[in-house]
Amino acid sequence: MDFGRAEFAGQGAAFGTFGEIKVLVATVVNSVGAVIDRQGRVVRGNYHAELGERRHPSADYAELTGAPAVMGNTTLTVMITNVKLTDVELLQVGRQVHSSMHRGIQPFHTLTDGDTMFAMTTDEVELSGVKPTGLGTLASEVAWDAILSAAE
């Protein structure tokens, strides 16, 4: 991907409630690649002016027409939940959510970017019926909504 095909995104946020569980994800998407919606369409970035279309970065890499990744492909994110979690559980939920963000941003976690996420909890409610992995799954969907919000 190169800066010539990049399109500005911005900051986005999404909030989800699942019973007593609350999750807020805010992100600043500064990706040189592309933002992908849930149907697999590129909604921002990797715009080929000569073709008048946005393309999934994998198509360019498969055709060897994409430039190497460039510096500056950084997405900053914060996830806050009200669920009481141990430090280990919070770390794992954070990893799960951050790893899931590749679905909405391609490429993600490249060699030269600084994708970072901070995970926090207010420790207000106990998990009941939903294990930390389930919380991570729900929060991952909220993160995707935040990414899409940044591309609007």
Side-chain angles (χ1 to χ4, degrees), residues 37-84:
D37 70 10
R38 284 186 169 82
Q39 289 72 44
R41 295 182 302 244
V42 176
V43 295
R44 178 77 65 206
N46 201 27
Y47 181 74
H48 288 249
E50 67 280 3
L51 300 173
E53 66 182 22
R54 293 179 180 100
R55 293 180 52 167
H56 195 287
S58 63
D60 292 339
Y61 289 125
E63 295 173 5
L64 302 177
T65 60
V70 293
M71 298 296 283
N73 189 33
T74 297
T75 300
L76 306 173
T77 305
V78 62
M79 179 204 71
I80 304 167
T81 183
N82 66 337
V83 175
K84 187 173 184 175

